[in-house]
Amino acid sequence: MNFTESVQMAGKTLLSNKLRSALTMLGIVIGNASVIAMIGIGEGGQKFVNKQLESLGPNVLFVIPGNQETQRITFEIPKTLVLADAQAIATQVPTVAGVAPELNRRYVVTYGNRNTDVNIIGTTPGFPLVRDFEIAEGRFFNEIDIKRSNQVVVLGADLAEKLFGSSNPLGKQIRIKNTSFQIIGTLEGKGSGLGGANYDEAALIPITTSANRLVGKNSPYGIALDYLVISARNSKSVDAAEFQMRNLLRLRHKITGEDDFTVRSQKDAQATVGQITGALTIMLAAIASISLFVGGIGIMNIMLVSVTERTQEIGLRKAIGATQQDILLQFTIEAVIVSAAGGLIGTAVGVGGIFLVAAFSPLEAGISTVAILSAVGISGAIGLFFGIIPARRAAKLDPIVALRSA
C-alpha cells in the first residue's frame, strides 16, 4: 500500500466509528482551545494595559515619595515630597511643561439628601494639562484659588451626574467633611484608568484648601504630597526632564546618598507590565497545555483498544501480504489525523473564545499566529508520539496468532 491508500483507509476507519473518533479528539480540542485562548487573552490584557498607559501621554513622569526600600517596609506614604518641591520643578526645570501634585483622600460628599463616598483630589491648576482633561462646563481653579485656599470644587463627569442628574451643577454648594464647597466646573468624561482610578467619579479642589480644611499639614516642610505628575515638553525631552528634576530634588532635599523619592516613566511602567503579563501568559499557557498531554494519552488508550478490536483485520491483512510498515503507517496516520483534526477544531474554538471575551470585556482580541501554528503542530506531534506505541503493537502481531485469537 502506498501513502495515499493508507490515508484513505485510515479516514474510512475513523468515519466508521464517528462517536469514538469525536470523543478521542475531544481532549485535543479542549487543549488547543485552552492554549490559544489563554495566550490570546494574555496578549489582549497586555494591549489593554499599554493602551491605558499611552493615554497618560508619552511625556508623563511620576514622582513618588520614598525610595523602593522605604516603600517595601511601610504602608504609609513617606512625607518626603512636598508642594514646594512641585513649585520648584515647575519654575526651575526648563524641560517641564506642567506639574500636577496630588493629595488624595476619601470623604463623603453631600448634596441635599444625596450622599456618596468620593475620592477628593487636592491639586493645582496644572492638572488638566498634565492629565489631559477637558473642562465640560465652567472653569478649573486658578492660582488665586490656590493662594486664598478658596472652597471651590470641580466635579468629575460621573459624580456630577450622580449628584445632579441632568441639571446644571455650576454655582451650587456641596459639603465635603462638613465643609461647604462651591462648584465652579465639571470635567469631560474620560473613563477609569490604571489601578481602578476613575477621575470621572472624583472631586477636585485646590491643594491648599485640601491641606487647610480637610487633611491638615502633615509635614514640617509644608504640604506633603501623595505623588507628583510631571509632563515634559515633548517625547525627546523626557530623559532630560527626569535628569534635571532628579538633580533639583536632590539639591533641595540635601541628598548625598540614595534618593528619598522614586521616579517612574511610561516606559518603566510598560516594561514592568510587559514582564508581568508575559509571565502570566506563559503560566496560563503551560497550565492549559496539560490538556494537550491528557488528550494525547486519550488517543493512545483509544488506539490500543482499537488494535485489540481489530486483531482479526490485522491478521488477515498481514496474511495476504501487508508488511509491518503498512500496519504501522496506517495506525500512525489514524492517530495523526485525529490529533490534527482536533487541533484545527480547537483552534477555531479558541479564536472564537478570544473574540467572545473581547466583545464582553475591555480587553482587545489578541490573535497570535505563532501560538496557533505551534498549538496545531504540537497536536500533530502528540498524535504521532502517542500513536506510535499502539501502531507498533499492531505491526508486531503475528498473523497466525492474530487470526486464531480472533
Side-chain angles (χ1 to χ4, degrees), residues 139 142 144-153 181 205-206 208-209:
R139 66 174 180 90
N142 52 35
I144 295 177
D145 295 316
I146 297 291
K147 291 179 180 179
R148 295 178 179 177
S149 299
N150 288 340
Q151 293 169 219
V152 293
V153 61
F181 285 81
I205 63 177
T208 50
T209 308

Side-chain angles (χ1 to χ4, degrees), residues 267-344:
K267 291 180 181 179
D268 296 333
Q270 285 180 325
T272 303
V273 167
Q275 291 175 352
I276 295 172
T277 55
L280 289 175
T281 301
I282 292 173
M283 182 186 71
L284 292 174
I287 294 172
S289 62
I290 295 174
S291 301
L292 283 174
F293 182 77
V294 174
I297 295 176
I299 289 175
M300 182 176 67
N301 290 338
I302 295 298
M303 293 301 294
L304 286 171
V305 172
S306 180
V307 169
T308 303
E309 290 181 348
R310 294 160 63 187
T311 301
Q312 184 177 14
E313 174 195 334
I314 295 168
L316 183 60
R317 289 186 60 196
K318 297 190 75 172
I320 61 175
T323 64
Q324 285 192 6
Q325 286 75 15
D326 293 332
I327 304 299
L328 179 66
L329 182 62
Q330 181 186 349
F331 277 86
T332 303
I333 289 174
E334 289 181 18
V336 172
I337 288 175
V338 168
S339 58
L344 293 173

Side-chain angles (χ1 to χ4, degrees), residues 11-12 24 48 108 173 200 221 223 234 236 241 251 379 389 392:
K12 290 178 182 178
T24 303
F48 171 75
V108 174
Q173 301 279 336
D200 291 350
Y221 303 103
I223 300 173
N234 51 61
K236 295 181 180 179
L251 287 172
S379 299
I389 296 175
R392 284 174 59 85

Side-chain angles (χ1 to χ4, degrees), residues 197-390:
N198 189 352
Y199 288 95
D200 291 350
E201 295 181 350
L204 290 85
I205 63 177
I207 193 167
T208 50
T209 308
S210 177
N212 295 331
R213 299 284 184 178
L214 303 179
V215 179
K217 292 183 179 180
N218 49 6
S219 169
Y221 303 103
I223 300 173
L225 307 177
D226 290 335
Y227 55 89
L228 178 62
V229 188
I230 297 169
S231 177
R233 293 193 178 277
N234 51 61
S235 57
K236 295 181 180 179
S237 61
V238 172
D239 292 338
E242 180 177 351
F243 178 78
Q244 295 168 3
M245 173 195 63
R246 191 183 294 273
N247 285 340
L248 176 61
L249 289 179
R250 287 179 64 86
L251 287 172
R252 288 182 55 81
H253 296 183
K254 298 181 174 61
I255 296 173
T256 56
E258 188 177 2
D259 293 342
D260 62 358
F261 56 90
T262 305
V263 181
R264 291 281 183 265
S265 67
Q266 187 198 82
K267 291 180 181 179
D268 296 333
Q270 285 180 325
T272 303
V273 167
Q275 291 175 352
I276 295 172
T277 55
L280 289 175
T281 301
I282 292 173
M283 182 186 71
L284 292 174
I287 294 172
S289 62
I290 295 174
S291 301
L292 283 174
F293 182 77
V294 174
I297 295 176
I299 289 175
M300 182 176 67
N301 290 338
I302 295 298
M303 293 301 294
L304 286 171
V305 172
S306 180
V307 169
T308 303
E309 290 181 348
R310 294 160 63 187
T311 301
Q312 184 177 14
E313 174 195 334
I314 295 168
L316 183 60
R317 289 186 60 196
K318 297 190 75 172
I320 61 175
T323 64
Q324 285 192 6
Q325 286 75 15
D326 293 332
I327 304 299
L328 179 66
L329 182 62
Q330 181 186 349
F331 277 86
T332 303
I333 289 174
E334 289 181 18
V336 172
I337 288 175
V338 168
S339 58
L344 293 173
I345 296 172
T347 298
V349 173
V351 171
I354 292 172
F355 281 107
L356 190 64
V357 170
F360 293 96
S361 75
L363 301 182
E364 296 183 19
I367 308 298
S368 174
T369 305
V370 175
I372 292 174
L373 294 177
S374 299
V376 175
I378 291 172
S379 299
I382 284 175
L384 181 62
F385 177 78
F386 286 99
I388 286 291
I389 296 175

Side-chain angles (χ1 to χ4, degrees), residues 46-62:
Q46 188 168 356
K47 289 180 180 178
F48 171 75
V49 175
N50 285 336
K51 191 173 181 180
Q52 291 289 315
L53 289 171
E54 289 171 0
S55 68
L56 299 176
N59 311 333
V60 173
L61 293 168
F62 292 87

Side-chain angles (χ1 to χ4, degrees), residues 61-65 77 81 86 100-104 119 121-122 127 131 197 199 207 224-229:
L61 293 168
F62 292 87
V63 186
I64 306 168
I77 299 175
L81 200 64
E102 291 192 22
L103 179 59
N104 298 348
N119 186 25
I121 301 173
F127 178 90
R131 288 296 201 171
Y199 288 95
I207 193 167
L225 307 177
D226 290 335
Y227 55 89
L228 178 62
V229 188

Side-chain angles (χ1 to χ4, degrees), residues 155-167:
L155 303 182
D158 292 346
L159 178 60
E161 183 178 358
K162 184 182 295 186
L163 292 177
F164 298 96
S166 58
S167 62

